[in-house]
Structure formats: C-alpha cells, structure tokens
Amino acid sequence: MIRMNILVVDDDPEIRDVLHMYLRNEGYLVLEAEDGVQALGILQREKIHLIILDVMMPHLDGINACLRIREESDIPIIMLSAKEEPLDKITGLSTGADDYVTKPFNPLELIARVKAQLRRQQFITSRHTSDPSEIVIDDLIINKKQHTITVHGQEVSLTPIEFSILVLLATDRGQVFNIDNIYQKVWKDQTAFYSENTVMVHIRNIREKIEIKPREPPYIKTVWGVGYKIDK
C-alpha cells in the first residue's frame, strides 16, 4: 500500500501541529511549510499527494502559491482561510484549488475532505493508467490482447469475425458504422460484390451471445437506415 504524503502549508505553528497530529493518526506522512516559498521548495524535492494550503501567509500567499503549483501539477489542493465570503471562496477555487475550508474548522471534517480528494485523485489516475488492451462497457469487458469477451462475469465465445466487429464498434463508441464500413474494415475487402446479409447475420449472432434481450440490445444499437453503433 502506498503511503500518502500530505503537505501542510500554514504560517500558524499551532494549526500545523493540530493537522500533523490528526493526519499522522490516519496513517499519512506529513510535511510542513510556513509559507508558499517553502512549499514550492518541498514540492521540487518530495513526492506530495495532497496539499493543505493556507491563504494568508507572508512571502508568498496561498492564492499565488496555488497559481504557481497549477502551472506544473494537478495535485489536489485544499485551501484554508479565515475569509468565508462567497467571493473569497470563488477566488480560491478559481485559482485551481479543489476544495475550500474556512477557519475555524473541525479537524475531523477536514480529514474527511482529505480522504475524499485522495479517493477522487486515485480514481482519475486509475482510469488514465488502465490497461489499453481492455475495453469496459458496463458489464461487457473486451480484452483485445487475450481475445476474450466477458459479459456479467461470464466468458462468451465469439468467432474471429464477430470479435473484430465488436472491437470496431466498441473502440469508436458513439460513431455510426454503416454496413459498407464494417465490411471493409473487418473483412479488409473493398469489393462491392457482397451481401449486406453477411454483416447483418454477424451482428445478430453477436447480439445473441452478449445481449440478455437481443431484441432490446443495451450494447449494439441499430440506427435505422444508417448502420450500427455502441453508445458512449
């Protein structure tokens, strides 16, 4: 399990001490800075997963520090401020902060916000680093590398042509492919001398294998008079 590093930036040592204690009790590794200048220096040396950033600080305040951080990083930032007017919150969030907490604050509420931001960031990261050979559409999982199809946890057997058609539609979700497009891209054949039934029969076979109700298909949609698609 990766241990998360939290950077607490505040010129008030009592606030830093309180946050350090609560965050450490949750298992986080805590680093501290007294102002934005120190914070930027730490970010250059350390891997930080989230920043708690005070607004009012000497040398470099939280607003300008946030702007500087956002030039290079999308790390989650929670701003702390004694200013609670709506315009102050809007200013803080518009500089790139992900959340805004006013002082005085409940440390337990702040910890809950920290956890929420870290969960959100982990979810975004996992989506960006997911296996590019795998396409997931609700309960349908297509693994292009292993050439497998799983629906509702059950593996389904498709012929090579059926598999290629499904991958074509799933890769460009939302795009409508007419029968000519499908035939040319899957069969790699530019000839016009083929039966439209060839493609239609394969689509019907795929639906019977992956759709619970082939007549009401949740995956492969028919766009009447145009072709077939899988919705985004």
Side-chain angles (χ1 to χ4, degrees):
M1 182 176 180
I2 299 175
R3 191 171 186 183
M4 296 294 181
N5 298 333
I6 310 296
L7 175 59
V8 176
V9 189
D10 198 302
D11 60 333
D12 187 334
E14 292 186 4
I15 289 179
R16 294 202 308 272
D17 288 345
V18 169
L19 290 178
H20 196 134
M21 180 184 66
Y22 276 89
L23 290 165
R24 185 185 58 203
N25 288 343
E26 292 294 330
Y28 300 117
L29 180 64
V30 184
L31 293 87
E32 299 182 17
E34 296 180 0
D35 55 50
V37 175
Q38 287 188 8
L40 293 176
I42 291 174
L43 286 171
Q44 291 178 352
R45 302 188 304 268
E46 305 287 345
K47 172 66 175 177
I48 302 298
H49 299 92
L50 181 141
I51 304 172
I52 299 174
L53 183 64
D54 186 32
V55 172
M56 301 298 293
M57 296 183 295
H59 307 304
L60 183 65
D61 63 28
I63 297 296
N64 286 293
C66 186
L67 289 170
R68 293 271 294 276
I69 293 167
R70 281 290 173 256
E71 291 175 359
E72 299 181 358
S73 174
D74 61 354
I75 182 173
I77 297 175
I78 299 177
M79 277 195 168
L80 293 181
S81 178
K83 298 180 177 181
E84 57 183 8
E85 293 299 321
L87 183 58
D88 295 316
K89 294 182 180 181
I90 292 171
T91 300
L93 294 172
S94 65
T95 61
D98 298 279
D99 202 352
Y100 189 103
V101 177
T102 57
K103 298 178 181 180
F105 56 86
N106 183 329
L108 293 177
E109 179 186 347
L110 182 57
I111 295 300
R113 290 173 182 252
V114 166
K115 292 180 178 179
Q117 289 299 328
L118 289 173
R119 282 196 303 269
R120 174 176 172 270
Q121 187 70 8
Q122 287 177 317
F123 175 73
I124 293 172
T125 302
S126 66
R127 291 191 65 180
H128 288 172
T129 58
S130 61
D131 187 351
S133 68
E134 192 171 83
I135 302 173
V136 180
I137 307 171
D138 297 329
D139 293 317
L140 171 66
I141 302 174
I142 306 168
N143 192 301
K144 295 186 287 184
K145 185 182 297 182
Q146 298 178 5
H147 213 274
T148 58
I149 303 290
T150 303
V151 184
H152 301 294
Q154 300 294 319
E155 190 165 326
V156 175
S157 178
L158 298 185
T159 68
I161 290 294
E162 292 166 357
F163 185 86
S164 296
I165 293 173
L166 185 58
V167 168
L168 173 67
L169 298 176
T171 300
D172 291 307
R173 291 170 63 182
Q175 179 176 339
V176 181
F177 290 88
N178 62 36
I179 290 177
D180 288 346
N181 293 150
I182 295 172
Y183 186 83
Q184 291 169 8
K185 290 180 179 295
V186 173
W187 276 262
K188 310 296 183 185
D189 191 348
Q190 301 298 318
T191 180
F193 299 101
Y194 71 92
S195 170
E196 291 188 355
N197 286 335
T198 301
V199 174
M200 295 170 64
V201 167
H202 280 85
I203 293 288
R204 184 184 65 200
N205 290 341
I206 296 170
R207 281 175 167 165
E208 289 177 350
K209 293 177 180 180
I210 70 170
E211 314 277 15
I212 295 177
K213 296 181 179 180
R215 294 184 179 276
E216 301 175 14
Y219 299 119
I220 301 177
K221 306 289 188 180
T222 299
V223 181
W224 295 106
V226 184
Y228 301 96
K229 70 171 182 176
I230 292 179
D231 287 333
K232 291 184 177 180

